[in-house]
Each structure stands twice: as structure tokens, then as C-alpha cells.
């Protein structure tokens, strides 16, 4: 039997964290290509350090003659990302940073397999859902994201002008009978403008926003707060620590509460099953829980490069299932075409909807009218109930 009483911790990082700056740039490049060509191929990686951004990887357009012209837009895309995040530091400024564009055409060896509707690579992908929050997400990661998103809103609105873009949060929650009931530890580190600002000063700024986000009965006199515990955080962003696309995969998914297949998401077009099949797995797991077939569900898919059909489908309901896992495995296969093309069409993924996923989690977000976060819909509930 699974443990019912325990502590569990998850962390999040803000859009200004060096790795998230890189995720944002990679996904903005992807969105730009998909805006021009719904069948564009993109595998964009970004590296950032002091006043320098390097963009590399493989790209492709249906009309190859337009690729060289399109490359000229990358500079503007990068600078707009950095400007929107808020970096105007002496050693990392959107207007003065050096950009190195090393994007090149996609490998023909990879292209031929994808053109036959096969997967763009081998790999395993996991989806997860649990009924401990309305979003069917683990509470520690969901609220860690929410704290940073709220603080970023206050910073960008001008309400908190002394806060900087770089920040990290971490929550330790106490579980009783398998449900989160309280916060034992809060960690919040945020970049700030002035050397004279102390940890106490920063706590006075951020605490109201943290309390606004968290359920009131989760905080008590026993909750321990660690706000800027090193005492000072003035130098931030890629000037303080180099960034790289795809280095925050646990932040992007379930905060360690569920397995991760290993592949990163940002900068990859939806022919890459690292991204699209992970979205499909979350979509299916969420619909399983929303349908009442289980209160907790882990779902794994696996693929081989150039092969369309998944090699395996695995479901674990952790002892909470109303029906056997094999019945759910058959049901999800019957209710959704899990080939790469089938996933893209079912979730409408060939659209410029990815830059918004680069910070504050790919899962647990509300589906949007233009198709963003389509994998968070629960429109498969009735079909799954019928199928089992």
C-alpha cells in the first residue's frame, strides 16, 4: 500500500532563470517557424551567458528557398524574448547582447523517417494525473509555479520595481491520508535591484503574494520561511549563471512526483515525440482521472524512430483504479490515434502555441481558445467510460 502520511517537495524557476530564458528563446523560434509553415521542422537549442546568446540546431521549411531569408529574423526574435522577460542589466541586456546564430537545415536522414509519419526519435514518455488539485496535478509543483507567476506579474506591472527577473521557489507539503494539508517549508529566492536590500526586506515584498496564492489553512506558525537565504541576489540571469535549453525537465512536468522519460520539450516541433507524445500521455492520464477510472494515473508511451505506432502503452493506477489497468490501456488506444500524426491532429499541435509553455509548467494550465494547452482538455472522458 502506498504511503499516506509524508512530506514531499517540488521546485519551480521563473521565466528569468537562465535555463528558462533559453527555453523561451527556443520556443519563440519554433513559434516563428510554425507561424510561417505549419509543417516546419525545428529542433532549436539555446545557450546563454554574460551578454551572449548562442542559438543552434536544425530547422526546415516546406519551401526550402525561404529558409535563408527566414534566418535573418532570428536576431529580432531573441532580443524580443530577452526584452519581454525584463533583462536590461549591464552584463545581460536585450539590446547589447551578442547573438550567434548557428541554426542549419534538418538532417535528411531524420527527415525521411518523419516524412513517412514515423516518430522523429526513439524514446519513452510519461503522463501523470492525480486528484489532489482541481487541475489534477501534484500540489507541490502546481503551487511552486503559481507563486513565481504571481510575483512575475507584480514585477512586470510595476507594482514591485525592485524585483528582478531571476527567481526560484520550492515548497515542502505535508500529506495526511494521501492529501496535501499544510506547508512545512517555503523557499523563495528572487533577484533584486539594490545591494542594501536584506532577506527581511525581500520577504516583506513577496510574502503577501505567496499568501495570496497558497490555501490559507496550509500556512501556520510552524511553517518555516527561507527567503533569499544567502542574504543577497543582485546578479542574476545568464550573467550570474549560464543557461541552456532543456535543463529543467522536472520543473516542466510533475516536480518529481512522477517519472519523466528524459527528453526535454522546448524548441522541438510536434513531430518530435519527446514533446508531442509527452503531451498526449498527460492528456490521456488526465482524462482517465477526470473520468473517475482512477484517482491517480501514470501512463507511459514508447516509440522507435521512423515507426508510427507506439511500441507499448503502460498504465499504472497505483491501486486506485476502478477497472483493471489492462482495460484502461486498451481504452486509451481505442480512443486516440497515438501515431505522431494522430497526436498532432487530435491535439492540434501544428500551431505557434509553444513560447507560453516555456515557464511555469507545461501541465496544469487552462486550455486556451487558440489551442494553447490543448492537452489539458478533458474531452475524452465520455469516450473512455464507454471504452471500458
Amino acid at each position: 500500500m502506498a504511503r499516506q502520511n509524508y512530506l514531499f517537495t517540488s521546485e519551480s524557476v521563473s521565466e528569468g532563470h537562465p535555463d528558462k530564458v533559453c527555453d523561451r528563446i527556443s520556443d519563440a523560434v519554433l513559434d516563428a517557424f510554425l507561424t510561417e509553415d505549419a509543417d516546419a521542422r525545428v529542433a532549436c537549442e539555446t545557450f546563454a551567458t554574460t551578454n551572449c546568446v548562442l542559438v543552434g540546431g536544425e530547422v526546415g521549411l516546406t519551401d526550402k528557398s525561404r529558409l535563408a531569408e527566414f534566418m535573418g529574423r532570428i536576431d529580432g526574435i531573441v532580443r524580443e524574448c530577452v526584452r519581454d522577460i525584463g533583462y536590461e542589466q549591464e552584463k545581460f541586456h536585450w539590446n547589447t547582447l551578442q547573438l550567434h546564430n548557428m541554426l542549419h537545415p534538418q538532417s535528411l536522414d531524420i527527415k525521411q523517417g518523419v516524412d513517412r509519419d514515423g516518430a522523429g526519435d526513439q524514446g519513452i514518455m510519461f503522463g501523470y494525473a492525480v486528484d489532489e488539485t482541481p487541475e489534477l496535478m501534484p500540489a507541490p509543483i502546481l503551487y511552486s509555479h503559481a507563486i513565481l507567476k504571481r510575483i512575475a506579474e507584480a514585477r512586470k506591472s510595476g507594482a514591485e520595481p525592485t524585483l528582478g527577473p531571476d527567481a526560484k521557489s520550492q515548497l515542502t507539503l505535508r500529506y495526511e491520508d494521501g492529501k496535501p494539508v499544510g506547508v512545512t517549508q517555503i523557499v523563495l529566492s528572487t533577484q533584486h535591484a539594490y545591494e542594501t536590500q536584506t532577506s527581511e526586506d525581500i520577504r516583506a515584498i513577496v510574502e503577501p503574494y505567496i499568501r495570496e496564492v497558497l490555501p490559507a489553512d496550509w500556512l501556520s506558525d510552524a511553517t518555516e520561511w527561507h527567503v533569499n537565504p544567502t542574504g543577497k541576489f543582485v546578479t542574476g540571469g545568464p550573467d550570474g549563471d549560464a543557461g541552456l535549453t532543456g535543463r529543467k525537465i522536472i520543473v516542466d512536468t510533475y516536480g518529481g512526483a512522477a517519472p519523466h522519460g528524459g527528453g526535454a520539450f522546448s524548441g522541438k516541433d510536434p513531430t518530435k515525440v519527446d514533446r508531442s507524445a509527452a503531451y498526449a500521455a498527460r492528456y490521456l492520464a488526465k482524462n482517465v482521472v477526470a473520468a473517475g477510472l482512477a484517482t491517480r494515473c501514470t501512463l507511459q508511451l514508447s516509440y522507435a524512430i521512423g515507426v508510427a505506432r507506439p511500441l507499448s502503452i503502460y498504465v499504472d493506477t497505483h491501486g486506485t483504479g476502478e477497472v483493471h489497468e489492462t482495460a484502461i490501456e486498451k481504452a486509451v488506444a481505442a480512443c486516440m490515434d497515438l501515431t505522431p500524426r494522430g497526436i498532432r491532429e487530435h491535439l492540434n499541435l501544428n500551431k505557434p502555441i509553444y513560447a507560453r509553455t516555456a515557464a511555469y509548467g507545461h501541465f496544469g494550465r487552462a486550455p486556451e481558445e487558440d489551442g494553447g494547452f490543448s492537452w489539458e482538455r478533458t474531452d475524452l472522458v465520455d469516450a473512455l467510460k464507454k471504452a471500458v
Side-chain angles (χ1 to χ4, degrees):
M1 179 180 293
R3 290 181 65 188
Q4 297 296 300
N5 303 311
Y6 55 91
L7 301 179
F8 194 82
T9 303
S10 293
E11 70 157 347
S12 179
V13 297
S14 73
E15 64 199 82
H17 184 281
D19 295 331
K20 282 293 153 196
V21 172
C22 295
D23 285 347
R24 170 72 175 276
I25 291 169
S26 294
D27 273 335
V29 170
L30 169 61
D31 278 357
F33 271 85
L34 290 175
T35 298
E36 295 295 314
D37 180 356
D39 294 318
R41 301 286 167 75
V42 179
C44 178
E45 307 285 349
T46 304
F47 168 77
T49 186
T50 300
N51 246 0
C52 177
V53 172
L54 186 152
V55 179
E58 302 79 48
V59 294
L61 292 170
T62 304
D63 183 354
K64 298 178 184 177
S65 66
R66 298 174 53 223
L67 190 56
E69 174 269 330
F70 197 81
M71 291 293 193
R73 306 183 194 178
I74 302 301
D75 184 279
I77 292 168
V78 171
R79 295 184 191 281
E80 175 55 27
C81 286
V82 177
R83 186 200 65 79
D84 183 67
I85 291 169
Y87 278 114
E88 295 186 341
Q89 298 172 191
E90 179 184 356
K91 294 185 179 180
F92 196 75
H93 194 295
W94 63 270
N95 195 38
T96 59
L97 63 82
Q98 299 179 49
L99 173 65
H100 302 277
N101 179 1
M102 302 183 71
L103 293 168
H104 59 84
Q106 183 186 42
S107 161
L108 294 178
D109 295 343
I110 295 175
K111 184 178 185 298
Q112 66 183 353
V114 177
D115 287 346
R116 294 196 303 265
D117 292 336
D121 201 354
Q122 70 177 47
I124 57 174
M125 298 84 208
F126 286 93
Y128 181 73
V130 63
D131 71 348
E132 64 189 57
T133 61
E135 296 83 359
L136 304 185
M137 282 288 288
I141 188 65
L142 187 75
Y143 285 101
S144 292
H145 288 322
I147 287 169
L148 292 182
K149 191 173 184 181
R150 182 66 188 95
I151 290 172
E153 290 169 353
R155 172 178 63 85
K156 288 186 164 186
S157 72
E160 302 297 346
T162 67
L163 298 184
D166 197 353
K168 303 178 76 171
S169 65
Q170 185 171 286
L171 286 180
T172 301
L173 299 189
R174 186 177 80 258
Y175 283 72
E176 293 181 359
D177 297 323
K179 299 294 183 183
V181 297
V183 180
T184 64
Q185 307 277 342
I186 296 174
V187 184
L188 191 289
S189 296
T190 181
Q191 185 182 8
H192 53 94
Y194 303 120
E195 298 273 353
T196 55
Q197 287 177 296
T198 66
S199 297
E200 290 73 21
D201 295 330
I202 301 303
R203 177 171 174 175
I205 293 171
V206 301
E207 184 172 343
Y209 299 108
I210 294 174
R211 290 186 177 276
E212 179 184 324
V213 166
L214 294 174
D217 59 349
W218 283 9
L219 296 171
S220 70
D221 292 341
T223 302
E224 294 187 26
W225 293 68
H226 308 275
V227 177
N228 280 18
T230 63
K232 186 177 71 170
F233 186 4
V234 174
T235 301
D239 181 36
D241 189 10
L244 191 66
T245 299
R247 259 199 321 209
K248 288 293 178 286
I249 58 176
I250 301 303
V251 169
D252 285 342
T253 54
Y254 307 104
H260 190 293
F265 302 155
S266 290
K268 296 178 181 177
D269 74 72
T271 68
K272 279 73 170 174
V273 285
D274 273 346
R275 182 169 219 159
S276 56
Y279 289 173
R282 160 63 179 171
Y283 172 68
L284 292 170
K286 184 176 184 180
N287 275 270
V288 166
V289 174
L293 302 179
T295 60
R296 181 180 171 204
C297 178
T298 300
L299 188 147
Q300 185 204 57
L301 302 172
S302 69
Y303 290 86
I305 188 167
V307 179
R309 293 285 174 185
L311 307 185
S312 64
I313 301 172
Y314 167 78
V315 169
D316 183 0
T317 57
H318 308 277
T320 71
E322 296 295 321
V323 298
H324 198 276
E325 282 95 342
T326 55
I328 297 175
E329 289 164 359
K330 292 176 181 178
V332 298
C335 292
M336 184 176 179
D337 179 355
L338 289 170
T339 65
R341 179 178 293 276
I343 292 170
R344 295 195 303 273
E345 292 178 351
H346 190 106
L347 297 178
N348 202 10
L349 297 180
N350 285 80
K351 301 175 71 174
I353 54 174
Y354 297 104
R356 69 193 74 170
T357 69
Y360 314 120
H362 292 247
F363 306 133
R365 311 278 286 271
E368 298 176 350
E369 290 186 3
D370 66 352
F373 302 101
S374 60
W375 49 93
E376 291 297 313
R377 302 189 313 244
T378 53
D379 54 0
L380 212 60
V381 164
D382 291 339
L384 285 172
K385 287 181 178 179
K386 291 177 182 177
V388 298

